[in-house]
Amino acid sequence: MFALFEEAGKLLTGRILSSTEASAHIELDSGRRAKVKLAHVLLTFTQPAPTELMAQAQALAGDIDLDLAWACAPDADFAFDELARDYFGSDASLAQQAAALLRLHDAPHYFRRVGKGRFRKAPAEVLRQALAAIERRRAIEAQIAAWADQLAQGQCPAPVREQLYRILFKPDKNAPEYKAVVHAARATHLAPLALLQRAGAISSAYQFHWQRFLFEYFPRGTGFPAVTAPPVPADLPLAADVAAFSIDDSSTTEIDDALSVQGLGSGIVTVGIHIAAPGLAIAPDSALDRIARERLSTVYVPGHKITMLPDAVVQSYTLLAGAPRPALSLYVRIDEASLQVLDSQTRLEQVPIAHNLRHDQIDHVVTAAWLDAPDAPTPEAAPPELRALHPQLAFLWRLAQACKAQREAVRGRPETFTRPDFTFKLEGMNGDAPTGEETVVIGTRTRGAPLDLIVAEAMILANHTWGRWLAELGVPAIYRSQASLAPGVKVRMGTKALPHAGIGVSCYAWSTSPLRRYTDLVNQWQIIACARHGAAAALAAPFKPRDAALLAIISAFDAAYSAYNQFQGTMERYWTLRYLRQQDITELEAAYLKDNLVRAETLPLVFSVLGTEGLRRGERVRVRLGAIDEVSLEVTGTVVERLGATEPVAETDETLEGESEAPLAAPLTVAVALDDGDEGASDDAGAPSAAAT
């Protein structure tokens, strides 16, 4: 005796070995034995054999017209054999009954199961909707297949092109465009990014990098909503006998800081560190604050930037020469002979800005030799204000060196800079933003050059002094700290005034760039409260002790600032690869790092090479370059000559603000996972990624 029964939603057949009133032991063709309740046994028969019966039933089931079966079915619950007799006739055979059961079982949109072997037909409206959904699915599947075929043939369908960045970086894995890319990549055995490049989905490597960054961080565009720049406070006193000057690059429009020097020759010199003061007008939780908090920082890339604040606000508060500007000023009194700091005072005021010096125009003049010689001649071609500023710059240079030495004594070892800073200049730009086709000029600036050191030490002095003052008054702020210089100990942000070992100060609060960093704007609000309320500042400051909002700001800023810096590195790498092509450079001299990586000596470029067997860290080599891919930002090379000498290997280069070098550029990765099932759920941040190369 044989049986057709249901087990775990599946229809199976087998030979009955034994049975009781409630159950039966059945042996399947596979040899597996199962104990089955008799209520789950739907048919019993002696012939044909189970496999033969199922073969006959499956052949008949495919011919059953579901629409006709649905029309024949009663409105009430019914058994499968009842429908078989209605459909095939009153003498429906065993195979026809089994066929009816298989067909009903596999058509849940027509018939709903209400028991073992029993069904109820779906209401007409529900059936209509289900059939429409099935037809839509079929159409989508056909569309996916057509798009995948186009991609495999090297053509990119318009819908896939329009969804390019979402497909690659934030995919909805149920979207047909995403599935088409996955199917085509599997069929062609190409990585998704390579597939899309071959299909022409990416017409400009520069725009590809730019648009994917905007897609991630500026999905609504880089424009600002309509806001009114707050007026400059009218009640600020004018700083007496101050003629401040700033030192920035020529492209800088957000001039955050300026310096002044008074009392030279008197024995006690007052150095003024003047910081732009948008915090005097931008109120916490105002419309402008919400804009700044959403962006958190200005984004810098070669030839372009996305500012944190609208241009009207920047122009109202930037320290532009020619008129007094609102400023938060730190006046530090210094013994002229010993260069020891005697005391300091903070004021809110209007500061006359006399000059905006541009270091790229005067670096060749303002050298250590020129600053160290009291009567050093100033070249005729130099800006005339340099002659008048020589005594002030010379004093600031002496002070900067003294401050640096004091920090290094606390730090325990000197700061070492073995590589220059690289600068990027784009020639041939038409409009406000690059197109990626401009000619790039890559220059260098020696790290720790006199003007850089003057500004850096002044800002460190201000950030340290204000951070310590905030802590003394019990006013919370955002600090940067580093527990030690031991390997792996990173700079962290928090609300406690902890030491910063990398800089060599007891505490450090970013406060000197409020036009371009949100943390500095927040700290400026707190400092303004201290300047206005003194010992009672903790009660009046916008952020109170243990304020959870500060922790939220730190978390958001840290993530955004890291992402913006990484994007800056991405675009600098793009322009470096463009430079290699524009200059037709086929070989580079480089220093070996580790893990088959080398660093170019004259360009900001780290890349992988072949032929590194036996190389020591720092050893110089000549590398022949291979293919350059400006989309994946990859370039490879082969060591063709060992140059013998080794590059000095010092501690990891550090800037004056204690930041370690940017991480080595990683290959571009995309979020298209070729091992996902076709019905994958929407992607999340933890989804596996397929490398671009």
Side-chain angles (χ1 to χ4, degrees):
M1 180 71 71
F2 304 112
L4 187 157
F5 63 96
E6 183 177 350
E7 182 184 65
K10 296 181 179 180
L11 296 175
L12 304 171
T13 58
R15 182 167 62 92
I16 299 176
L17 301 177
S18 64
S19 63
T20 65
E21 293 182 357
S23 63
H25 282 82
I26 300 176
E27 183 180 46
L28 281 66
D29 288 341
S30 64
R32 181 173 69 88
R33 295 184 177 186
K35 183 179 180 180
V36 181
K37 293 181 179 179
L38 290 183
H40 293 181
V41 176
L42 305 178
L43 283 175
T44 58
F45 55 97
T46 57
Q47 58 178 328
T51 54
E52 184 180 347
L53 174 66
M54 291 301 285
Q56 294 174 7
Q58 288 168 354
L60 289 170
D63 294 332
I64 294 177
D65 186 327
L66 284 173
D67 291 319
L68 178 59
W70 184 85
C72 294
D75 292 332
D77 297 355
F78 61 90
F80 70 93
D81 54 342
E82 296 175 23
L83 182 69
R85 287 188 286 272
D86 288 340
Y87 188 89
F88 291 107
S90 58
D91 58 346
S93 67
L94 181 68
Q96 289 172 332
Q97 293 178 46
L101 176 61
L102 292 177
R103 192 63 163 152
L104 289 167
H105 198 271
D106 291 339
H109 47 295
Y110 278 90
F111 302 98
R112 181 168 59 89
R113 279 183 281 172
V114 294
K116 301 302 179 182
R118 298 192 63 79
F119 299 85
R120 175 179 293 173
K121 70 179 184 180
E125 179 60 22
V126 172
L127 177 61
R128 185 190 66 78
Q129 294 175 0
L131 292 177
I134 291 172
E135 186 57 35
R136 286 195 300 270
R137 183 178 181 84
R138 286 175 181 163
I140 290 173
E141 289 174 349
Q143 183 66 81
I144 290 171
W147 285 343
D149 187 56
Q150 285 182 265
L151 287 166
Q153 294 177 17
Q155 303 171 11
C156 185
V160 173
R161 189 190 305 273
E162 291 167 2
Q163 294 292 318
L164 176 66
Y165 304 102
R166 182 171 296 280
I167 291 169
L168 290 176
F169 303 109
K170 281 191 174 181
D172 172 3
K173 294 184 179 179
N174 289 318
E177 296 86 356
Y178 174 86
K179 290 185 176 182
V181 171
V182 171
H183 292 344
R186 290 172 178 167
T188 59
H189 304 290
L190 290 173
L193 188 57
L195 169 78
L196 291 165
Q197 283 183 262
R198 191 186 71 166
I202 302 169
S203 57
S204 165
Y206 180 86
Q207 287 301 320
F208 172 76
H209 295 299
W210 179 248
Q211 293 299 328
R212 76 182 179 93
F213 174 74
L214 296 184
F215 172 79
E216 175 76 20
Y217 295 100
F218 293 86
R220 295 186 296 275
T222 59
F224 291 95
V227 291
T228 302
V232 175
D235 58 347
L236 294 178
L238 182 66
D241 301 323
V242 171
F245 56 90
S246 65
I247 304 172
D248 295 280
D249 185 83
S250 292
S251 62
T252 301
T253 57
E254 301 158 290
I255 304 176
D256 285 294
D257 54 84
L259 303 172
S260 65
V261 179
Q262 298 170 280
L264 287 174
S266 67
I268 296 179
V269 177
T270 300
V271 173
I273 304 171
H274 312 284
I275 306 302
L280 289 170
I282 299 176
D285 296 324
S286 65
L288 274 173
D289 174 36
R290 288 190 289 271
I291 289 172
R293 184 166 182 175
E294 182 178 7
R295 298 198 173 194
L296 293 164
S297 173
T298 292
V299 181
Y300 294 98
V301 295
H304 195 42
K305 65 181 175 181
I306 304 171
T307 59
M308 182 180 76
L309 293 168
D311 187 62
V313 177
V314 172
Q315 294 307 316
S316 295
Y317 288 88
T318 186
L319 301 183
L320 194 64
R325 293 285 181 165
L328 176 65
S329 296
L330 176 67
Y331 289 99
V332 183
R333 292 199 319 135
I334 297 167
D335 185 288
E336 192 169 5
S338 66
L339 299 177
Q340 293 299 307
V341 173
L342 303 177
D343 56 37
S344 63
Q345 184 181 28
T346 298
R347 299 176 192 164
L348 302 172
E349 58 187 5
Q350 293 264 16
V351 175
I353 308 298
H355 308 290
N356 293 138
L357 303 181
R358 304 298 183 175
H359 62 67
D360 52 306
Q361 299 175 4
I362 61 175
D363 265 343
H364 64 288
V365 177
V366 185
T367 63
W370 184 76
L371 292 169
D372 288 336
D375 300 322
T378 304
E380 292 295 330
E385 59 266 23
L386 276 185
R387 297 181 181 87
L389 289 175
H390 183 277
Q392 299 178 48
L393 290 171
F395 178 80
L396 291 173
W397 168 238
R398 286 178 54 222
L399 177 63
Q401 293 178 91
C403 290
K404 181 174 183 288
Q406 291 173 7
R407 292 190 302 99
E408 288 180 341
V410 175
R411 192 173 182 269
R413 61 190 185 200
E415 293 166 332
T416 55
F417 306 120
T418 59
R419 289 177 56 78
D421 286 326
F422 292 93
T423 61
F424 293 79
K425 181 180 179 182
L426 305 185
E427 296 181 344
M429 275 186 58
N430 293 318
D432 296 332
T435 64
E437 299 301 319
E438 292 80 3
T439 299
V440 58
V441 177
I442 300 179
T444 60
R445 297 188 67 245
T446 302
R447 301 177 78 173
L451 287 176
D452 285 348
L453 190 65
I454 287 171
V455 174
E457 290 298 337
M459 298 310 111
I460 291 173
L461 178 59
N463 289 327
H464 171 55
T465 302
W466 276 329
R468 186 176 56 195
W469 190 38
L470 288 163
E472 290 171 353
L473 293 178
V475 176
I478 298 175
Y479 292 90
R480 297 176 67 80
S481 63
Q482 186 178 19
S484 75
L485 290 177
V489 179
K490 297 182 178 180
V491 176
R492 301 192 179 279
M493 301 182 71
T495 57
K496 294 183 179 179
L498 299 175
H500 195 310
I503 301 178
V505 292
S506 60
C507 64
Y508 192 74
W510 261 353
S511 311
T512 54
S513 298
L515 291 173
R516 59 185 181 91
R517 280 195 307 240
Y518 189 69
T519 51
D520 299 53
L521 179 60
V522 168
N523 282 342
Q524 186 173 91
W525 284 327
Q526 303 296 86
I527 296 168
I528 289 172
C530 293
R532 286 175 170 167
H533 302 281
L539 301 175
F543 297 94
K544 304 299 187 288
R546 295 185 294 278
D547 195 327
L550 278 180
L551 298 177
I553 290 169
I554 289 171
S555 176
F557 177 84
D558 220 6
Y561 198 66
S562 296
Y564 295 171
N565 282 339
Q566 184 177 10
F567 178 60
Q568 181 178 353
T570 293
M571 299 314 294
E572 289 180 355
R573 187 175 179 89
Y574 166 82
W575 285 112
T576 301
L577 298 183
R578 290 288 295 176
Y579 180 84
L580 292 175
R581 286 190 170 179
Q582 290 172 358
Q583 301 297 320
D584 196 24
I585 296 173
T586 59
E587 291 188 351
L588 285 173
E589 292 184 1
Y592 181 65
L593 297 177
K594 60 179 180 178
D595 300 331
N596 299 323
L597 291 174
V598 298
R599 187 199 303 277
E601 292 186 344
T602 57
L603 291 173
L605 182 65
V606 173
F607 59 104
S608 61
V609 297
L610 300 175
T612 60
E613 296 81 5
L615 291 179
R616 295 170 294 164
R617 179 174 173 83
E619 186 170 353
R620 298 178 63 248
V621 293
R622 186 183 306 280
V623 176
R624 179 176 295 119
L625 299 179
I628 295 173
D629 189 331
E630 293 174 1
V631 173
S632 66
L633 298 177
E634 284 294 288
V635 59
T636 57
T638 304
V639 174
V640 295
E641 183 182 359
R642 296 174 66 164
L643 301 179
T646 58
E647 181 185 74
V649 180
E651 62 179 287
T652 300
D653 287 355
E654 296 170 347
T655 69
L656 287 176
E657 288 197 351
E659 295 300 308
S660 61
E661 278 191 333
L664 304 181
L668 177 68
T669 58
V670 299
V672 181
L674 300 184
D675 55 350
D676 276 357
D678 288 347
E679 308 303 323
S682 295
D683 189 32
D684 57 37
S689 298
T693 57

